[in-house]
């Protein structure tokens, strides 16, 4: 089954404790992206990757890191989480970015609470 | 500045009562407009892509249309299972996807 998986689905942590949220897709997609979703603000892009070893900042990259060492994986790293990073996070992937934006497939989401 | 605005924020309808959701946009060089459906606690699910003014697409009770400034998602004779948040996103010329805040649709039986 074609899908985007994220782990963990739920996470409670404390300020300053490094964490990683994994994202994996099995569709051989080139483009992957991380979003956060907060009430009233909609989806905001954190980082995106157009291919292996190519990453770029989205709208709200501060406090986050990403890496793209393999095509299928795109982990999101919070080196020193703070309470304002409490949010619902989504990973997404699409075939390519190209001349036309391809349909994005979203993971199930990771709900993060930073105390 | 590129911007996407959805209205209304929330819409309550009776089952069978048709209506429309609006997505207004200002972007430099539209490369595509997307509609997604999102159920509570789940990731957005793709519905439609529209690329040029005048284009229309349909799926069951939903129909999406596009002009040079806005898109409408028309819902005909909705059912309770159509209740969800509907998201609009616009792909601009710099390959960024800009998202609206969504319209929460509630269909009462």
């Amino acid at each position: 089954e074609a899908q985007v998986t994220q782990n963990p689905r739920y996470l409670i942590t404390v300020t300053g404790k490094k964490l990683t949220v994994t994202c994996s897709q099995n569709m051989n997609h080139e483009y992957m992206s991380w979003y956060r979703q907060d009430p009233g603000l909609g989806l905001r892009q954190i980082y995106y990757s157009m291919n292996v070893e190519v990453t770029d900042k989205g709208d709200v990259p501060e406090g986050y890191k990403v890496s793209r060492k393999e095509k299928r994986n795109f982990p999101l790293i919070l080196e020193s989480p703070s309470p304002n990073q409490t949010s619902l996070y989504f990973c997404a992937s699409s075939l390519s970015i190209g001349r036309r934006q391809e349909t994005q497939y979203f993971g199930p989401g990771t709900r993060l609470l930073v105390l | 500045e590129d911007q996407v605005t959805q209205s209304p924020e929330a819409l309550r309808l009776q089952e069978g009562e048709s209506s429309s959701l609006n997505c207004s946009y200002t972007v430099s060089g539209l490369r595509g407009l997307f509609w997604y459906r999102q159920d509570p606690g789940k990731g957005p699910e793709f519905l439609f892509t529209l690329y040029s003014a005048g284009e229309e697409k349909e799926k069951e009770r939903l129909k999406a249309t596009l002009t040079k400034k806005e898109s409408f998602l028309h819902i005909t004779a909705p059912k309770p299972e159509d209740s969800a948040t509907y998201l609009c996103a616009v792909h601009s010329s710099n390959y960024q996807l800009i998202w609206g805040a969504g319209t929460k649709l509630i269909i009462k039986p």
Side-chain angles (χ1 to χ4, degrees), chain A residues 38-74:
Chain A
D38 302 289
L41 295 178
L43 282 165
R44 292 182 293 169
Q45 191 176 47
I46 302 170
Y47 269 94
Y48 64 95
S49 169
M50 296 180 72
N51 213 326
V52 176
E53 302 293 358
V54 180
T55 63
D56 211 344
K57 296 177 180 179
D59 300 318
V60 288
E62 293 78 22
Y64 304 96
K65 285 176 58 178
V66 293
S67 68
R68 188 88 181 276
K69 297 178 181 177
E70 305 168 279
K71 200 171 188 179
R72 64 183 292 128
N73 296 323
F74 191 44

Side-chain angles (χ1 to χ4, degrees), chain B residues 61-72:
Chain B
R61 295 177 292 282
L62 298 175
K63 178 180 178 180
T65 62
L66 181 65
T67 72
K68 289 186 178 180
K69 294 183 178 180
E70 59 191 349
S71 176
F72 290 95

Side-chain angles (χ1 to χ4, degrees), chain A residues 37 45 90 98 101 103-104, chain B residues 34 36 38 91 95-97:
Chain A
Q37 188 175 38
Q45 191 176 47
F90 289 104
Q101 173 74 50
T103 302
Q104 290 200 36
Chain B
F34 301 80
Y36 284 79
Q38 186 176 23
H91 179 206
Y95 301 113
Q96 289 285 76
L97 257 186

Side-chain angles (χ1 to χ4, degrees), chain B residues 21-95:
Chain B
L21 313 182
N22 177 265
C23 173
S24 299
Y25 63 91
T26 52
V27 295
S28 52
L30 177 71
R31 291 187 179 275
L33 184 142
F34 301 80
W35 282 100
Y36 284 79
R37 169 192 170 126
Q38 186 176 23
D39 293 301
K42 295 188 177 181
E45 181 182 334
F46 172 75
L47 292 173
F48 303 109
T49 308
L50 302 167
Y51 291 107
S52 56
E55 191 174 358
E56 299 182 352
K57 288 192 177 173
E58 287 188 66
K59 180 181 180 180
E60 296 180 355
R61 295 177 292 282
L62 298 175
K63 178 180 178 180
T65 62
L66 181 65
T67 72
K68 289 186 178 180
K69 294 183 178 180
E70 59 191 349
S71 176
F72 290 95
L73 184 65
H74 306 279
I75 182 161
T76 303
K79 299 181 178 181
E81 53 261 41
D82 294 321
S83 297
T85 296
Y86 290 86
L87 301 171
C88 170
V90 171
H91 179 206
S92 66
S93 59
N94 63 356
Y95 301 113

